[in-house]
Amino acid sequence: MNTTLAATEAGVSIDTVRTWCRIGAVAAVKQAGRWIIDAASLAARIAVGKMKRPAKKVVYSIETMTAIGGNRWTKAGHDRVYLNNWDEFAGLEVTRYNTGNISTASYQDQGISNSQAYKILGCIDKVWFDAADGKLHCRYGWGESRVASREEVWDAVVAGVRAAIAAL
């Protein structure tokens, strides 16, 4: 079978199939500059790809929150971990001039204007983990961006925190 048919059957790109052929992930021979792929070998590779590893359980705790960059704060019976870098978890990347003003910005790998970056930064004031109830919390700020609503930014923060904990 050729690479186009193999890619269709496996549900991957043709380049992926070519890479599998080059590294020996599937049995294939090159004839006249084209890969000829063994169907049984491709079926075995597809089966390997379908095997799921068990998802790593995400546990919110003081230890995991500090491990991803949080700062622990205890006072008056409260035990919290503040995530001052919540914008990084949301996918907001900002570079600044020496004055502190934003020079370039992108949100979830899409270039955005500096004013929209300021609005995203202003839409959430604080993000913290409360040890008493074991949940993430946020206090919304004053801004609202055209790029993303407060709720969308908050959802992106939670997803980023979960991914960071799962990567530990």
Side-chain angles (χ1 to χ4, degrees), residues 139-154:
R139 182 170 70 196
Y140 290 118
W142 47 266
E144 185 81 35
S145 170
R146 285 179 294 147
V147 175
S149 68
R150 293 176 182 167
E151 292 77 17
E152 290 171 337
V153 173
W154 173 242

Side-chain angles (χ1 to χ4, degrees), residues 6 14 85 104 135 152 164:
I14 295 171
N85 59 340
T104 61
K135 295 181 182 177
E152 290 171 337

Side-chain angles (χ1 to χ4, degrees), residues 5-158:
L5 185 59
T8 303
E9 190 173 321
V12 297
S13 70
I14 295 171
D15 288 334
T16 300
V17 172
R18 288 181 185 142
T19 302
W20 288 349
C21 294
R22 272 194 304 276
I23 66 171
V26 295
V29 293
K30 215 167 194 184
Q31 291 180 349
R34 297 179 184 264
W35 287 105
I36 306 299
I37 301 157
D38 179 55
S41 176
L42 179 65
R45 177 66 185 129
I46 293 170
V48 167
K50 288 183 179 178
M51 284 194 276
K52 297 269 185 183
R53 292 186 181 107
K56 189 172 182 181
K57 185 169 171 76
V58 175
V59 178
Y60 292 150
S61 68
I62 291 172
E63 293 77 23
T64 57
M65 293 298 169
T66 54
I68 63 171
N71 299 317
R72 190 170 183 182
W73 175 84
T74 55
K75 187 174 183 180
H78 297 288
D79 192 2
R80 296 178 176 172
V81 178
Y82 283 91
L83 298 172
N84 297 327
N85 59 340
W86 64 263
D87 53 329
E88 295 172 14
F89 293 117
L92 180 65
E93 295 179 23
V94 174
T95 58
R96 297 181 180 267
Y97 295 112
N98 288 338
T99 61
N101 293 333
I102 295 175
S103 62
T104 61
S106 66
Y107 179 67
Q108 297 182 349
D109 298 325
Q110 296 287 329
I112 60 172
S113 69
N114 297 352
S115 66
Q116 290 302 309
Y118 278 117
K119 289 179 181 181
I120 290 173
L121 287 169
C123 76
I124 292 181
D125 186 32
K126 294 181 187 261
V127 175
W128 71 91
F129 166 75
D130 194 342
D133 63 6
K135 295 181 182 177
L136 278 176
H137 298 273
C138 83
R139 182 170 70 196
Y140 290 118
W142 47 266
E144 185 81 35
S145 170
R146 285 179 294 147
V147 175
S149 68
R150 293 176 182 167
E151 292 77 17
E152 290 171 337
V153 173
W154 173 242
D155 291 342
V157 170
V158 172

